[in-house]
Structures are given as structure tokens and as C-alpha cells.
Amino acid sequence: MAPPQTNPRHAEHRAFMVERHLRARGIRDPLVIAAMGEVPREAFVSGELEEFAYEDSALPIEAGQTISQPYIVARMAELATLEPTDKVLEVGAGSGFAAAVFGRIAAQVYAIERHEELANLARSRIARLGYDNVEIICGDGTKGFAEEEPFDAIIVSAGGPRVPEALKRQLAPGGRLVLPVGTGRMQELIRVTRNEDDTFEEESFGGVAFVPLIGEEGWPDQNADDA
Ligand code: SAM
């Protein structure tokens, strides 16, 4: 499918973002670089924030959540070693931006978001851009998405206290799970690989700061009793 038409000014800023914030900081995977250079991040934020879309920072979105920093989206995609034949699960779809990026690399992406308002907005943005290999689901992603398991890669875009067992179970042999884990304001970026012999290997890639992963295998929902 041809890339969607975008404002030339945004395209210029996007190319600058790829050079300055991704390549210069060590992102090397050509598939990740191409995807980040293609997806219009300005289409995933509200109008008044469009001008900041190519700064390397998280930005506020609806429901008190954030769209992740471009560098961290690229870093997680690279650590997940996404391939064109992969079936990918993202937990924490938020604006839908990262899911769109993963979908430019992989064959099929399922992205789960717990806030219905965000899931609906993400779905309509993805549809408007014609990215028909990305499906947005509303629910608790700490339980994974059993309907479509196993996944070649699972990327969690919110920080939880531990690695959810359900997500490990839903990895295909050789599958990679990339997620922030930690009990403080900062988390550790972890990659869990399911080996062909069904053992799991865990590697750590430094500190990150994500919004909380809330759900059955994440943090409790502080607002659960307010409803
Ligand atoms: N990847 C997103 C993007 O590109 O816009 C940004 C994600 S934002 C940092 C984290 C998202 O995770 C929030 O939208 C939050 O509502 C969602 N979230 C937190 N816990 C979740 C869960 N258990 N299941 C699904 N979504 C969850």
C-alpha cells in the first residue's frame, strides 16, 4: 500500500527526527528506521500538539495517558527484532501510533487498550491512514490476547510490577516479549525470549519511565471503586 499523503512540513520534521533522535542515538534496524520515517505521528495527537509531534518526547493524549517518545517506540521495535512475517501483540495501544509503526514492519498487529475512548480513537486514526493489518481491541492486555496466540513478538507500552505469565505463555517458540518492569517511578526495560526448548531467557536494557500497566497481572486500578 502507498504511504498516506502528509503535509510536506511534517514530512521534513519526521526525516529530521529519524536522523537526530533515532539514527544518532543508535537505532540501526533498517525496517524500524523506514517505519518511523513513514508513520505520520502528527495524526495521533490532538490538533494543538501537532507542531510538537516530531520532538523526541512523550505527549499527552486523551484519558490522561501519553503517546510514547519516538526513540522509545523505535528502541522497543528494534529490541523485539520485528520481521515482516511476524504476528505482533502490543499491550497499551494509547494513541495507536506505536501499533501503526509495528504494523509497517510486521504482517499483523493486535493492540490492546484498556480505555475504551482511546481504543475507539486509535481505531479510527488507523482506519483513516488505511493501515489494515492493525487491529485495536479494548480490554486488559496483561491477560494477553488468547484468541490470536501465539505471537512472534509482544511489546508492552506501560510499566508493570512483574512480567505477566499470560504474556510469556502466549509467545511462540523463538518469540520476544519487550516490556518495562519495576516497582518505582522508573522501570527496567526487559526482553524475555522463549527459546525453542521452551526455556525463557531474560535480558535487561536500562531504565525507562512509563505510565502504569493496570490490570490483572499489573497494578491494581486505583479508580476501580469510584465507578
Ligand atoms: N503505545 C502508545 C502510543 O503509541 O500512543 C502509548 C501507550 S501509553 C504510554 C500506555 C497505555 O497503556 C495507556 O494508554 C494505558 O491506558 C494503557 N494501559 C495500561 N494498562 C493496560 C492494560 N492492562 N491493558 C491495556 N492497556 C493498558
Side-chain angles (χ1 to χ4, degrees):
M1 184 180 51
Q5 293 300 309
T6 59
N7 180 327
R9 188 171 52 89
H10 286 309
E12 219 173 273
H13 293 170
R14 187 160 54 250
F16 178 81
M17 179 271 290
V18 167
E19 289 309 316
R20 169 68 69 87
H21 301 307
L22 307 185
R23 272 196 219 274
R25 292 185 62 195
I27 301 296
R28 291 283 174 267
D29 185 331
L31 297 176
V32 173
I33 293 286
M36 292 295 295
E38 180 185 333
V39 177
R41 191 169 184 250
E42 71 276 9
F44 293 85
V45 294
S46 56
E48 71 275 15
L49 293 177
E50 270 187 26
E51 62 177 302
F52 306 111
Y54 294 104
E55 291 188 1
D56 192 36
S57 60
L59 293 171
I61 56 171
E62 298 75 9
Q65 302 300 313
T66 54
I67 178 174
S68 304
Q69 177 194 3
Y71 172 77
I72 203 74
V73 173
R75 176 89 172 123
M76 291 176 102
E78 191 168 71
L79 287 175
T81 61
L82 300 183
E83 298 283 346
T85 52
D86 280 354
K87 179 158 69 167
V88 177
L89 176 68
E90 187 198 13
V91 176
S95 67
F97 172 70
V101 170
F102 305 153
R104 295 296 81 201
I105 304 172
Q108 180 67 41
V109 176
Y110 297 92
I112 308 191
E113 171 53 52
R114 65 186 286 270
H115 287 287
E116 196 170 2
E117 177 192 4
L118 290 179
N120 290 338
L121 277 166
R123 201 175 290 122
S124 62
R125 288 170 181 138
I126 298 271
R128 206 174 313 128
L129 290 166
Y131 294 159
D132 55 10
N133 64 338
V134 179
E135 190 177 319
I136 309 285
I137 299 119
C138 185
D140 175 7
T142 67
K143 295 189 275 191
F145 189 46
E147 289 85 336
E148 289 294 339
E149 67 162 311
F151 298 97
D152 301 296
I154 302 178
I155 297 176
V156 183
S157 300
R162 69 190 83 85
V163 180
E165 283 304 315
L167 299 186
K168 284 172 75 174
R169 274 198 308 274
Q170 291 181 21
L171 280 179
R176 294 84 56 202
L177 164 60
V178 176
L179 78 172
V181 175
T183 50
R185 207 184 58 81
M186 294 287 289
Q187 305 96 29
E188 194 75 19
L189 191 57
I190 304 282
R191 176 170 64 195
V192 179
T193 304
R194 183 176 201 155
N195 297 320
E196 301 289 338
D197 64 1
D198 226 18
T199 57
F200 291 90
E201 193 180 308
E202 204 171 294
E203 299 159 275
S204 186
F205 296 92
V208 285
F210 273 86
V211 299
L213 177 71
I214 294 169
E216 200 168 292
E217 287 201 59
W219 297 105
D221 183 358
Q222 304 290 357
N223 298 317
D225 296 329
D226 301 346

